Amino acid sequence: MRYTPEVSLDEYGVSLQNGFLPQSPPSKMMENPYYWPWEHIVSDLPDHIRFQTIRQEVDALPVLSTSKLQGEPEWRRAYLLLAYLTHAYIWGGEKPKDVLPPAISLPFLEVSRHLELPPCATYAALNLWNYAIPHADADLTDPDSLSVTASFTGTKDEEWFLMISVAMEAKGAQLIPLMLDTIHAISLDDAERVSDSLLALSEGLKELRKLLERMYEKNRPSVFYHQLRPLLAGSKNMAPAGLPNGVFYDIGDGQGKWHQYSGGSNAQSSLIQTFDIFLGVEHIATGDMKTNGPVQPGAKAGFMQEMRDYMPGPHRRFLEMLTTASNVRAYALSHMANSPVRDAFNTAVMSLGVFRDSHIQMVTRYIIMVAKAKPPTDGPMQVNLATSTTTQMQGRSERLTRGIHGTGGTDLIPFLKQTRDTTKATASYE
């Protein structure tokens, strides 16, 4: 399959203007008062978490039907609200709660099925569908112009953390048609157009890196690590934090199932995976770089592949389409070393690798360094991802690289370094 300009991106939920963000800004609030009980709790979520009243508020909720939801913006808003309520309920006490009540479980499971997403706080809930703009002409690529519609902490730090990603999605949207046009140019064997497009992609990736590095402006590491990050954690690989079996989604009358889900992660961004697929970067099982040899039968899918299950269904299908369509690396390798096409390809790959360098530096500052320090003494101590990790790290003299897990359950720094190294190894100079 090869891309042609006539291919419609609408079926994949991709906008030429906004990329994987909605064509229009997400709903700020449910119009139907029937769903306002959810809205009311979420609007006061920071206080409910701070004063540990979230669970009694959720326990008092009625079980609301999803039959009154109309249109995708309402389904997405419902998903966002239930995601925030779920994670606040699980992590918003002195110890994590491993049973989710029917008032959340029942509607969340139904809404998630409709949107082809798991019932947890995904990147879609936290970022793609959780922003507002001050006016119709606002620049989505400027995080200063964006605000959240739901928050765990009520801090500027949390808002900035989430809106940087939204701005990056908007900025990266400009690169999606460029990549598709490159694939089309390859089908025409237009080498000059291909090399020009790859160099333009490299410049676009540099701009995204600059935007990522604006994170330092208004997101304090201690606030991110101790206040926000614990609430983003999932229920998978979270035994050290108090969820050995995951979370039981109670649908009433003793019915339900245990589930284990990864937490919110930028690895769930379809944009970032689009760059990988387009350039032919192949990530396999966590900790293992792809080799020239065959993958052993039964080898489990890599974390990046698994993260596609946490993307909206249409976006996931876009990546599947792109996997079939992309011919960029093979085309680049068909040209001699030091040729314009090969050089442009290598430049683009290395730009993506440098982007991941910046991400590793950021994780070191926001997670590794904070985990080394003593936790703050003010406020109630909760058993969560942050406190369990910090406790494990106390008294250790060796360098902190292993033992700190991401919200998705990965061994964080080894995974990120392996991902970066796999990216750079995609370039070919011979």
Side-chain angles (χ1 to χ4, degrees):
M1 177 182 178
R2 293 290 178 259
Y3 171 76
T4 63
E6 289 76 27
V7 170
S8 172
L9 295 179
D10 290 344
E11 63 181 294
Y12 300 113
V14 180
S15 161
L16 285 175
Q17 179 180 353
N18 296 337
F20 296 101
L21 297 172
Q23 180 65 41
S24 301
S27 298
K28 294 182 182 179
M29 184 175 180
M30 289 287 200
E31 292 186 8
N32 191 335
Y34 178 77
Y35 295 108
W36 286 359
W38 298 345
E39 292 279 5
H40 289 156
I41 298 179
V42 172
S43 67
D44 293 327
L45 204 53
D47 282 340
H48 287 311
I49 293 172
R50 184 178 303 114
F51 299 113
Q52 298 193 5
T53 58
I54 179 62
R55 288 173 182 164
Q56 66 188 59
E57 291 290 328
V58 170
D59 287 337
L61 279 173
V63 177
L64 301 181
S65 170
T66 60
S67 63
K68 300 180 186 296
L69 293 173
Q70 298 181 350
E72 291 306 286
E74 281 197 1
W75 283 95
R76 292 169 182 168
R77 181 65 184 174
Y79 181 81
L80 178 157
L81 294 171
L82 292 165
Y84 271 79
L85 291 172
T86 293
H87 281 241
Y89 189 87
I90 293 170
W91 297 110
E94 290 185 4
K95 294 183 178 180
K97 192 79 168 178
D98 63 356
V99 178
L100 197 62
I104 300 298
S105 296
L106 271 171
F108 203 10
L109 289 167
E110 292 173 5
V111 170
S112 298
R113 278 193 291 269
H114 177 86
L115 295 169
E116 302 177 76
L117 282 163
C120 59
T122 61
Y123 183 84
L126 298 164
N127 300 85
L128 299 181
W129 303 336
N130 185 31
Y131 70 91
I133 53 177
H135 52 81
D137 297 325
D139 181 6
L140 292 184
T141 68
D142 179 9
D144 282 309
S145 298
L146 305 171
S147 59
V148 294
T149 65
S151 175
F152 288 114
T153 67
T155 62
K156 181 63 182 178
D157 307 76
E158 176 182 353
E159 182 171 69
W160 192 250
F161 170 70
L162 298 174
M163 294 305 97
I164 285 288
S165 289
V166 172
M168 290 174 63
E169 291 285 341
K171 190 76 172 177
Q174 305 163 12
L175 302 177
I176 295 173
L178 175 68
M179 288 184 279
L180 295 175
D181 183 68
T182 306
I183 293 171
H184 183 57
I186 289 173
S187 69
L188 302 175
D189 196 18
D190 189 340
E192 182 177 359
R193 186 167 147 200
V194 170
S195 59
D196 288 346
S197 295
L198 287 169
L199 291 175
L201 175 64
S202 179
E203 291 303 310
L205 289 169
K206 291 178 184 177
E207 292 298 314
L208 284 180
R209 179 168 57 86
K210 291 178 183 177
L211 195 48
L212 174 66
E213 291 175 348
R214 290 194 64 189
M215 184 70 73
Y216 301 115
E217 293 177 17
K218 300 177 184 179
N219 182 19
R220 293 166 291 175
S222 61
V223 174
F224 170 77
Y225 184 80
H226 289 289
Q227 294 185 39
L228 174 60
R229 186 171 180 261
L231 293 159
L232 301 178
S235 53
K236 184 177 182 179
N237 299 330
M238 287 297 159
L243 295 178
N245 301 312
V247 172
F248 185 79
Y249 284 61
D250 181 2
I251 60 174
D253 299 324
Q255 302 297 309
K257 290 182 180 179
W258 288 94
H259 293 281
Q260 295 188 14
Y261 296 114
S262 293
S265 168
N266 279 15
Q268 296 163 7
S269 166
S270 299
L271 177 67
I272 300 302
Q273 292 216 21
T274 293
F275 297 138
D276 281 332
I277 295 169
F278 173 75
L279 292 171
V281 179
E282 296 185 51
H283 303 288
I284 59 169
T286 302
D288 299 324
M289 282 187 61
K290 185 173 178 64
T291 64
N292 292 327
V295 176
Q296 292 298 316
K300 66 177 183 179
F303 179 75
M304 300 292 276
Q305 179 72 31
E306 180 186 336
M307 287 298 97
R308 293 190 196 178
D309 294 335
Y310 292 77
M311 300 174 185
H315 296 174
R316 186 163 59 248
R317 286 187 285 277
F318 174 82
L319 297 183
E320 292 166 356
M321 178 276 291
L322 191 65
T323 300
T324 304
S326 186
N327 48 4
V328 176
R329 188 169 189 267
Y331 185 76
L333 296 185
S334 72
H335 287 69
M336 295 180 60
N338 300 317
S339 65
V341 169
R342 182 80 75 87
D343 286 348
F345 172 76
N346 288 339
T347 299
V349 168
M350 295 311 291
S351 291
L352 183 58
V354 172
F355 175 89
R356 289 197 156 113
D357 282 330
S358 292
H359 186 216
I360 292 172
Q361 293 165 10
M362 189 165 291
V363 168
T364 300
R365 180 168 173 179
Y366 279 92
I367 299 177
I368 306 302
M369 298 306 295
V370 191
K372 286 183 179 181
K374 292 183 179 179
T377 55
D378 56 325
M381 287 299 294
Q382 297 166 277
V383 179
N384 56 39
L385 183 65
T387 55
S388 64
T389 299
T390 303
T391 300
Q392 291 172 31
M393 294 303 105
Q394 288 176 350
R396 289 194 178 186
S397 58
E398 72 266 24
R399 194 172 169 207
L400 282 177
T401 54
R402 294 189 176 273
I404 294 184
H405 292 82
T407 50
T410 57
D411 200 359
L412 192 55
I413 289 296
F415 166 72
L416 292 177
K417 286 184 175 179
Q418 186 268 324
T419 301
R420 184 268 319 274
D421 294 344
T422 302
T423 301
K424 292 184 176 181
T426 303
S428 178
Y429 297 92
E430 298 178 355

